[in-house]
Amino acid sequence: MPQSQHLKLVSSAPHHVAISLENFGVWFGDSCILSGVNAHLPKRGVTVLVGPSGAGKSTLLRALNRISDDMAGLSIQGRAYFEGCEIYAKDCDVTKLRARIGMVFQKPCVFPRSIAQNVLFGLRGVKLSQAQKHDIVEQALRGAALWNDVHARLGERADTLSMGQQQRLCIARALALKPDVLLMDEPTASVDPVSARTIEALMRDLGRTIPVLTVTHNLAQAKRIADHVLFLCEGQLVEAGDAAHMFSNAALPKTQTYLCDEFCEC
Amino acid sequence: MISRAAKEHIFAAATRAALGLSVCILAFLLGAIIVRGAQAISLDFLFMPSRDFGSRGGISYQIFGSLLIVLTAGLIAAPLALGASVYRSEYIKNTAAQRLFDLALYGLNGVPSIIFGLFGLILFVNIFGTGLSWFVGAVILAIMMLPTACMATISAMRGIDTPYRENAYALGLTREQTALRIIIPQSLHGLVTGLLIGLARAIGETAPIMFIATAFSGAGVPSSLAEPVATLPTHILALAQQAADPAALQNAWGASFTLIALVAMFSLAAFFARARLLPLSQR
Amino acid sequence: MDFTRPAPPSGRALRSYFLISALICAAICAVILITLLGQTGPVLSHNPASLFGTVWNPNLGQYGIIPMLYGSIVVMVIAMAIALPLGVLTAIYIAETRSARLRGIIKSALEVLAGIPSIVYGLIGVAYISVWVAKGLDLQTGRLILTAGLILAVMILPTILTLTEDAISNVPVIQRENARALGLYRHEVILDVVLPHARRDILAAGLLALGRALGETMAVMLVIGSLDRLPSPIFNVLSSGQTITSKLGRELGESAFGSAHFSALVLMGLILVLITLTLTGAAQWLINRRPNGVEAIYD
Amino acid sequence: MRYIFRYGVHVAGVSFAAATILTACGGDGVKTAGDTVSISGSTTVLPAISRAADDYTMQTGAKIIVNAGGSGGGFKQLAEGQTDIGMMSRDITAEERARFARHSFTVTAIGRDAVAPAVSSEIYDAGVTQLSFEQVTDIYMGRVDNWSAFGGPDRAIFAVDKEAGRGTRQVFARIVFGDKNMQAPGADLVVGSNNEEQTALAQSDSAIGMISFAWANADVRPLSITTANGAVAPTLDNVNSGAFPITRDLLIVTREDVSGQAKAFIDFVLSPEGQTHVVDAGYLPVNK
C-alpha cells in the first residue's frame, strides 16, 4: 500500500479525526464497488470526494451512515470508525448513529408538512416546549441561510418552496439535530446556480465548526470549497490530501490529470 | 411513556404477527383447495356425467357448460371491446367525453355480479321471454368482461407512440385505415390479455348466471341457444348446500379444484399472450 | 397526381362499427340502471311505507328492507375491521422486507387467491369456517353474520394486500432515505412518512375492497343463515342475518316477475348498485386525481 | 390481422342474429326447443322426477332438464313459459292463479310425502320423541325456548325455519301453525332446500326443523305427533293409512299448451315403472 493513499495532512491522533476508514470496502453481490480504502476525515473543514462517475463516491458516503443497509446484497469489508466507535459493529445503534451523522442528498426532499415541522422532523424522543422548538427552528434555519427567506411563513407547506430553498431546508433539518458530521451527496446538483453558490458558502461556514464530507462532480466547485480532497477512481482511493496541495502538485500523475484536465486514465 | 426503541419492537412484532396470520390464511385456503380437491379428482370424475344430484359421478357436462358459456361470452365481447377501444382512443378527442366513457366503464366494472344476474333475468328471461338460456348467460358474462377487455385494449393503444399515427396520416391513410393497419395490430396483445383475464374472472361467476342460464340436472349439450346448461360454479353451489353429505362435499371440492384450474389456465394464457403478442416496438 | 384518393368503401362501415361498439359499452351501465328502475314500480305504488320497516313478509305485503340493509352494512364493517389492519400491516412487512424471495412468493400466492371464485370461498365457509365458528363459540349453527364477515374478510384480504403493498412500494425511496438519515426508527419512517404518502392509494384500495364486500353474493349467501330479521340485541353478530345480496340470491328465483315482491327485490338491488357505484367512483377519483407538488417533483 | 378482424365482425353478426332469434322465439313463452322437456321447482319433488328423468332419457333418448328452485319458483317459471313442467310440493295458491289467469293449469299428483317436525339426534336420544302441534307452534312463535319444557335437556331450542316460498314450509305451516303464511318469530336460522335443512339439523345438537320423510336419517330424527288419540309415529304406513296428519301430494303442474313430449314423460312417471323411482326417492306412490 503506497504511503500516498493515507491522509498525510492530519496527525493520526484520534481526537483530530471524526471518521476513519481501515481497509474499507463495499460489495453488491459479486461486484466490488469500493475496496481497500484507508482514510481519516479530519474534525474540521470541508472534505471533498472527487472522481469520475462510478468511482464509488456516493457509495462511500452512503455507507458511512449506513443508509444503504437496506439494499439487498450489500456487504461491507474492513472497518469504519466514527468518533472511535465502529460503525458496522453488531451493537451499534444505527438510529443514533444516523442522528449524529447528518446527510443531505442530491435531490432536495421535503416532507409534505409545514416548514417548521420539517425542521423538527428528526427531533424525537425529547419533550420540547413551544419556545424551545422555535429556538431550534430559528437556529437551524439561520444555520442553513434560510431564516430570512421563510421566517414569516414557517407554517406553510414546505413543498411550496423553490428547489434551492428546499435543499437548504434539508440542510436545516439535518442541522437541527446538531450533527457531529455532515455528509452531502452532490447537494448543488439539482438547484439553480445562485442557490448553488449560497449552498457552497454555507458549506464553507459549516466546515468551520463541524466536518463536512461532500461529493461533487464539479471540479471548479471543489476548488472553491475544499479544505481537503479525496480522489476516488474505480472503487479505489487514489490519493488524498490538502486541497491546495492536491490541486497544485498532487503526487500521482493520475490525480494531476484528473484534477487539472478532468480526465481519468484509470 | 414508551421509549422509541420499545415502540420499534412493538411495531415490528405487530407486522410480523400480521404477516404470520396472513400467511396462515393464504396457506390454509390453498392447502384446503389443493388437498381436498386432489382427493376428489380422477379421470372418471372429469369425464363422467354427474349422477344422484351431483353426489356421485363426475362433472363432464359442468366443465363443458362452463367453457361453452365463457368462450361464447369471449367471442361476443371481443369485437365490442375492440371497436369501443378504437373509438375511445382514436376518435374521442374531447377530454370530457373521454372521462365520461371511462366513467361508464369503471361504473360497469363496479356493478356487483348479482346485479348482472338480476338484469339478465328482467331483460332477457322475462321481457324478451327467452327462458333459461345458456346464450343469455354468455351475453351477460360478455357484458361483465367488457370493462376489463376495454381497459386493457385502451391502455395498449395508449402505449402506441404518436409518431406511428403521424406517419400513417402522413402517408395518406385515413383514420379507419390507420386504426385497422396500425392501431389494432399494435394493441392486439392488450385485447387478448384483457379478454383472457375477463374469461378467468367470468368462468368463476355464479350469481350472474344462476337465474338465467343454468340447470341443476339433465342439462347436457344444448341443442339450441335457448336451453340451459350445467356449469361448475352452480354445481358447486348445489353441492355446497348438501354439506352434510360427505360424497357431495367431496365432489364439491373436486369441482372447485377443476374450476380453479380453469381460472389458472386462462390467467396463465393471459400472461403468455402478453409476452408473445407484445409488438416488437414495445418490447 | 391524385391527391384525393377516395377512402376505401369499408371506411364508413368500420367507423360505424367503432362507434356502435363504443355506444354499447358506454350505455350498458345506464341500461342496467334503467332496467332495474323500470321494475321498481309495483312496490313503490303498492306499499312504499313498508320498505322502511323491519318486517319482510311478502304474503302480507310487507317489504321492510332495513334488516337486509343492516346486514349488508354490518357484514361489510366486520370484514373491513379485520381485513384492513391485517392487510395494511402485512403489506408493510412485505414492502419493507429485504427478502425478494419472500416477497415474490407472497405476491404470486396473492395472485392465485385473487382468482379464486367466490363460490369456492362459499364452500370453504360452509365446510370449514362456519363449522369452526359453531364449535369454537359453542353455538347451534355457524351460519351467522359473524361468519359471513369472516369469509368476506378473507376474500378481500388479497385485494387490500396487493393494492396497499403497491401503494407502499410506490412511495419514493428518497422519502424513506431522508427520513432514515435523520435517525428515525423504521416504524417512525413508516407511520410518519410512508403511510401519509400512500394514504390516498390505501384509501382507494379500501374503497374498492368495500365495494367488493358489499356486492359479494355467493359466499355470503351460503353462510349467513337467511334470517330476515334485525338481530337482537342489535349488535349481536352471533345471530343469523341477511344481506341484500344473499336476499337476492335466495329469493329472486321464486318471486313472480312484475309482482310487488319481485320489485321490492329489484329495489334492493338498485340501492346496492348505487352504493357500490358511489364507492368505486370515489376510489377511481382518488386514484386518478394527480396529487400535489411533492410527488410531481420527484416522480 | 385482417383475418381476426373479419372474424370479429362475423361473430358480431352471429351474435346479433342470435339475439334476434332469441327475442323472436320469446313472445308469450312458447317453448321452441323441440324435443327437450324442461322442468323446475320443488326440491322435494326433484329426487323422484330427476330419477325418473334419467331413466326416461336412457330409454327414449329424449332430453329432460330438471332444475331446483322451490315450488314458488317452479310455478312461476312454468306460468311464464320458461319451462314445460313445474314441480310443486303444495297447491297453487289463489294469488298465483290470479296472477296468471290467462293460462289454465293442470295439476297431477305423482306421489305422496309426509313432513314431520324433526330434531337433532341428541334431542331425540334425550327423550323428546313426540310433540303436539301446539308445542311445535309454541317453539316457532318464540313462546318456548328450552327443551326442558318438553322433558328434554336444559338447552335452548334452535329453531330452523325454511324460506317462505318452499312447499315443505307452506304445508307445515298450514297444518301445524294453521296458516301457511304465518311467520315464525322464534326461528333462529332460515334455510332453503331440504338438503340445507338436513345439514343444519345434523350439525346442531338441539335443533328442531321441518323435513320431508325422505331426508330423515340417523342424525335427523322425525318426531311422532301427539294427538288426542295418542302419538302417531312418522312412518310410511301411517301416512298411507291417513293417520299421520302432515302429508301432501307431490305435484307436477303443466300449462294448457303442454307439449307432447312433456305429456309422454308425465305418463311415464305415472306408470308402474315410473312409480318405482318415486318409491326409490323415499315417497309413497300414487294409485295404490
Side-chain angles (χ1 to χ4, degrees):
Chain A
M1 181 115 347
Q3 187 63 32
S4 66
Q5 288 202 2
H6 280 274
L7 280 177
K8 284 177 286 185
L9 55 135
V10 291
S11 86
S12 58
H15 63 274
H16 285 150
V17 175
I19 291 176
S20 62
L21 304 172
E22 284 178 14
N23 206 19
F24 190 74
V26 179
W27 290 67
F28 277 113
D30 292 340
S31 65
C32 173
I33 311 295
L34 269 180
S35 71
V37 177
N38 291 288
H40 300 293
L41 181 70
K43 272 209 158 169
R44 294 281 181 275
V46 178
T47 305
V48 180
L49 269 167
V50 294
S53 297
K57 307 184 296 290
S58 290
T59 307
L60 176 58
L61 206 64
R62 294 164 60 88
L64 292 181
N65 69 343
R66 296 184 60 174
I67 203 78
S68 46
D69 269 15
D70 282 352
M71 304 189 86
L74 175 108
S75 56
I76 300 292
Q77 287 181 339
R79 289 174 200 285
Y81 295 96
F82 167 60
E83 307 261 308
C85 300
E86 195 179 341
I87 291 174
Y88 282 90
K90 276 224 162 63
D91 59 349
C92 169
D93 185 336
V94 184
T95 316
K96 280 192 185 123
L97 177 82
R98 287 177 189 151
R100 290 181 62 194
I101 303 181
M103 183 156 193
V104 176
F105 295 80
Q106 186 174 347
K107 280 184 180 174
C109 172
V110 298
F111 301 111
R113 297 160 186 251
S114 76
I115 293 170
Q117 279 170 335
N118 261 279
V119 175
L120 294 169
F121 203 78
L123 282 167
R124 309 250 161 176
V126 272
K127 275 241 179 281
L128 296 170
S129 68
Q130 285 298 322
Q132 283 171 312
K133 282 184 186 172
H134 188 83
D135 280 354
I136 292 171
V137 171
E138 179 171 350
Q139 268 187 30
L141 287 173
R142 281 192 193 282
L146 193 60
W147 177 253
N148 291 336
D149 293 20
V150 300
H151 68 90
R153 46 185 182 126
L154 293 176
E156 276 181 35
R157 272 177 67 118
D159 39 25
T160 57
L161 296 174
S162 76
M163 290 295 261
Q165 288 172 322
Q166 287 192 22
Q167 189 64 303
R168 276 180 279 153
L169 181 57
C170 289
I171 296 172
R173 205 167 57 190
L175 292 180
L177 289 170
K178 302 210 183 315
D180 296 324
V181 179
L182 193 58
L183 308 178
M184 301 179 102
D185 189 356
E186 298 187 53
T188 59
S190 314
V191 302
D192 62 281
V194 177
S195 299
R197 285 305 178 104
T198 317
I199 291 173
E200 281 177 19
L202 199 53
M203 287 155 91
R204 296 281 326 143
D205 285 350
L206 291 169
R208 287 190 195 107
T209 48
I210 55 169
V212 175
L213 181 60
T214 181
V215 167
T216 185
H217 270 118
N218 182 340
L219 285 177
Q221 183 182 62
K223 271 183 193 153
R224 284 196 296 273
I225 59 173
D227 294 318
H228 320 293
V229 176
L230 295 173
F231 173 46
L232 278 173
C233 191
E234 291 201 324
Q236 307 275 337
L237 179 62
V238 179
E239 192 172 354
D242 186 76
H245 170 77
M246 290 280 281
F247 281 111
S248 52
N249 47 357
L252 297 174
K254 242 200 305 205
T255 317
Q256 283 179 3
T257 328
Y258 184 77
L259 290 184
C260 298
D261 307 332
E262 229 174 298
F263 172 75
C264 191
E265 301 160 327
C266 45
Chain B
M1 181 80 187
I2 312 164
S3 76
R4 291 170 69 201
K7 274 189 197 160
E8 173 81 355
H9 285 301
I10 296 169
F11 188 78
T15 57
R16 231 174 284 133
L19 177 81
L21 190 53
S22 296
V23 167
C24 283
I25 293 174
L26 306 192
F28 161 68
L29 291 174
L30 291 177
I33 292 163
I34 291 170
V35 171
R36 302 291 300 262
Q39 286 169 356
I41 294 273
S42 67
L43 277 184
D44 275 359
F45 181 70
L46 292 178
F47 295 107
M48 296 268 285
S50 57
R51 286 186 296 123
D52 279 10
F53 328 113
S55 61
R56 312 233 180 301
I59 50 170
S60 56
Y61 284 125
Q62 281 77 17
I63 297 176
F64 167 79
S66 276
L67 286 175
L68 177 71
I69 289 192
V70 294
L71 292 179
T72 311
L75 289 181
I76 297 170
L80 282 177
L82 185 65
S85 304
V86 172
Y87 199 83
R88 158 67 177 79
S89 99
E90 304 303 311
Y91 288 81
I92 309 181
K93 294 297 167 208
N94 176 335
T95 324
Q98 285 178 346
R99 283 248 175 92
L100 197 66
F101 185 90
D102 293 352
L103 192 71
L105 274 190
Y106 286 128
L108 194 58
N109 207 24
V111 171
S113 58
I114 182 104
I115 299 302
F116 286 98
L118 181 55
F119 169 67
L121 182 68
I122 296 173
L123 192 66
F124 292 99
V125 176
N126 284 300
I127 294 181
F128 292 168
T130 59
L132 295 181
S133 149
W134 67 267
F135 189 78
V136 167
V139 171
I140 291 296
L141 288 185
I143 294 175
M144 286 191 70
M145 287 163 60
L146 273 181
T148 319
C150 282
M151 284 181 217
T153 318
I154 292 170
S155 98
M157 288 175 178
R158 199 178 293 140
I160 301 171
D161 283 342
T162 317
Y164 275 92
R165 298 187 176 85
E166 287 170 349
N167 275 303
Y169 292 140
L171 290 169
L173 265 66
T174 64
R175 202 177 275 208
E176 286 76 27
Q177 287 168 326
T178 312
L180 204 55
R181 307 240 170 93
I182 311 284
I183 304 298
I184 293 177
Q186 295 261 338
S187 57
L188 204 60
H189 65 282
L191 178 69
V192 174
T193 312
L195 274 176
L196 285 169
I197 293 172
L199 284 177
R201 197 181 138 197
I203 198 167
E205 288 289 354
T206 318
I209 54 172
M210 64 189 209
F211 299 117
I212 59 178
T214 63
F216 183 70
S217 85
V221 180
S223 49
S224 77
L225 293 179
E227 244 180 55
V229 290
T231 66
L232 284 170
T234 49
H235 191 63
I236 300 170
L237 171 64
L239 292 173
Q241 293 181 342
Q242 317 173 28
D245 176 3
L249 205 52
Q250 160 126 344
N251 277 7
W253 287 112
S256 302
F257 187 82
T258 313
L259 182 59
I260 290 169
L262 289 173
V263 172
M265 207 180 71
F266 284 119
S267 308
L268 278 180
F271 180 76
F272 286 116
R274 200 183 147 65
R276 280 295 295 273
L277 294 174
L278 197 64
L280 283 173
S281 57
Q282 289 174 43
R283 274 183 204 173
Chain C
M1 280 209 122
D2 182 12
F3 288 114
T4 58
R5 183 167 52 167
S10 65
R12 185 175 290 231
L14 263 179
R15 201 195 153 101
S16 11
Y17 155 64
F18 296 149
L19 177 63
I20 290 169
S21 309
L23 285 179
I24 291 176
C25 286
I28 284 178
C29 203
V31 170
I32 291 177
L33 285 177
I34 291 167
T35 308
L36 261 51
L37 203 60
Q39 294 301 316
T40 54
V43 74
L44 291 180
S45 60
H46 180 262
N47 191 357
S50 82
L51 287 170
F52 303 103
T54 58
V55 181
W56 178 273
N57 189 353
N59 294 311
L60 300 178
Q62 290 171 308
Y63 303 107
I65 62 170
I66 300 296
M68 277 60 90
L69 203 57
Y70 176 81
S72 282
I73 291 169
V74 170
V75 165
M76 179 188 84
V77 168
I78 294 174
M80 290 304 286
I82 296 169
L84 198 62
L86 187 59
V88 172
L89 279 175
T90 311
I92 288 173
Y93 188 96
I94 301 174
E96 301 287 325
T97 185
R98 266 171 278 176
S99 160
R101 217 172 118 197
L102 172 72
R103 202 172 155 174
I105 292 172
I106 294 186
K107 288 218 102 176
S108 31
L110 286 177
E111 297 268 318
V112 176
L113 282 184
I116 293 181
S118 60
I119 183 72
V120 179
Y121 281 102
L123 181 62
I124 289 167
V126 167
Y128 289 112
I129 299 188
S130 70
V131 179
W132 290 345
V133 169
K135 284 223 177 91
L137 300 175
D138 195 24
L139 297 169
Q140 289 305 311
T141 183
R143 296 173 186 226
L144 310 170
I145 294 175
L146 176 71
T147 315
L150 286 176
I151 274 283
L152 272 187
V154 172
M155 282 188 72
I156 60 177
L157 186 61
T159 312
I160 292 185
L161 240 173
T162 312
L163 293 177
T164 310
E165 205 272 331
D166 287 349
I168 291 177
S169 299
N170 283 340
V171 174
V173 180
I174 183 172
Q175 289 262 337
R176 295 160 204 260
E177 281 189 344
N178 271 272
R180 277 214 303 273
L182 289 171
L184 264 65
Y185 278 101
R186 204 172 272 271
H187 76 274
E188 291 166 338
V189 177
I190 291 163
L191 295 177
D192 290 347
V193 177
V194 175
L195 289 189
H197 210 282
R199 72 183 189 284
R200 199 191 304 277
D201 287 346
I202 295 174
L203 191 62
L207 289 179
L208 284 177
L210 216 64
R212 186 156 179 221
L214 264 183
E216 176 48 40
T217 308
M218 304 319 296
V220 171
M221 176 179 136
L222 283 168
V223 299
I224 198 167
S226 307
L227 200 61
D228 306 331
R229 258 203 325 250
L230 285 175
S232 86
I234 191 86
F235 289 115
N236 180 15
V237 294
L238 296 179
S239 83
S240 299
Q242 187 83 285
T243 66
I244 291 179
T245 52
S246 67
K247 188 74 184 163
L248 291 177
R250 289 272 181 184
E251 266 186 44
L252 268 182
E254 54 182 70
S255 61
F257 179 72
S259 64
H261 183 189
F262 186 80
S263 89
L265 291 172
V266 175
L267 188 74
M268 272 196 276
L270 198 62
I271 293 172
L272 179 71
V273 185
L274 293 180
I275 298 176
T276 48
L277 281 186
T278 314
L279 289 176
T280 355
Q284 219 55 57
W285 180 75
L286 278 173
I287 291 170
N288 285 347
R289 211 178 84 168
R290 257 309 113 198
N292 51 54
V294 189
E295 284 131 326
I297 291 168
Y298 300 112
D299 281 353
Chain D
M1 181 57 239
R2 259 218 165 144
Y3 170 75
I4 288 176
F5 183 72
R6 288 229 177 102
Y7 190 56
V9 173
H10 177 69
V11 170
V14 171
S15 315
F16 274 109
T20 321
I21 295 166
L22 271 174
T23 312
C25 67
D28 191 28
V30 185
K31 289 299 297 181
T32 48
D35 54 352
T36 302
V37 179
S38 159
I39 305 174
S40 86
S42 163
T43 55
T44 309
V45 188
L46 180 87
I49 291 295
S50 177
R51 281 185 169 87
D54 284 348
D55 189 7
Y56 188 71
T57 304
M58 280 221 275
Q59 289 184 23
T60 64
K63 191 158 167 194
I64 300 176
I65 296 170
V66 190
N67 229 343
S71 298
F75 175 78
K76 183 200 99 176
Q77 290 179 5
L78 169 76
E80 286 165 357
Q82 297 159 19
T83 55
D84 300 285
I85 299 175
M87 301 180 286
M88 298 184 79
S89 53
R90 58 169 171 82
D91 286 324
I92 304 172
T93 63
E95 294 94 318
E96 283 170 337
R97 280 193 191 280
R99 167 166 292 281
F100 294 99
R102 63 184 183 280
H103 291 297
S104 65
F105 299 97
T106 312
V107 178
T108 316
I110 57 122
R112 219 173 147 63
D113 173 39
V115 182
V119 295
S120 307
S121 55
E122 290 84 352
I123 294 301
Y124 193 87
D125 297 340
V128 183
T129 56
Q130 63 177 71
L131 288 175
S132 69
F133 285 178
E134 290 71 28
Q135 288 171 324
V136 175
T137 311
D138 281 348
I139 293 173
Y140 277 98
M141 295 307 125
R143 293 191 284 265
V144 179
D145 195 34
N146 198 296
W147 284 114
S148 58
F150 308 120
D154 182 19
R155 271 214 291 269
I157 299 176
F158 185 70
V160 182
D161 197 3
K162 293 194 79 171
E163 289 169 2
R166 300 286 177 171
T168 308
R169 206 255 179 209
Q170 295 197 357
V171 169
F172 193 84
R174 176 166 54 81
I175 297 174
V176 179
F177 305 158
D179 173 2
K180 75 175 169 65
N181 292 330
M182 180 87 84
Q183 289 210 307
D188 299 300
L189 175 70
V190 181
V191 295
S193 66
N194 284 313
N195 287 322
E196 270 191 302
E197 176 98 31
Q198 189 193 41
T199 309
L201 290 177
Q203 284 175 347
S204 168
D205 64 0
S206 55
I208 184 169
M210 49 191 84
I211 204 156
S212 168
F213 272 23
W215 272 265
N217 61 21
D219 291 326
V220 179
R221 309 292 292 270
L223 297 178
S224 300
I225 304 296
T226 318
T227 65
N229 307 325
V232 184
T235 61
L236 288 179
D237 285 343
N238 278 338
V239 178
N240 227 358
S241 69
F244 193 82
I246 323 169
T247 61
R248 35 105 181 250
D249 285 330
L250 304 179
L251 308 171
I252 52 179
V253 188
T254 50
R255 250 172 33 169
E256 72 284 354
D257 53 355
V258 60
S259 68
Q261 189 69 249
K263 240 183 139 36
F265 174 66
I266 296 171
D267 290 341
F268 171 76
V269 175
L270 292 173
S271 73
E273 196 184 353
Q275 287 291 299
T276 61
H277 299 296
V278 175
V279 175
D280 284 349
Y283 301 120
L284 291 169
V286 286
N287 311 327
K288 193 179 160 189

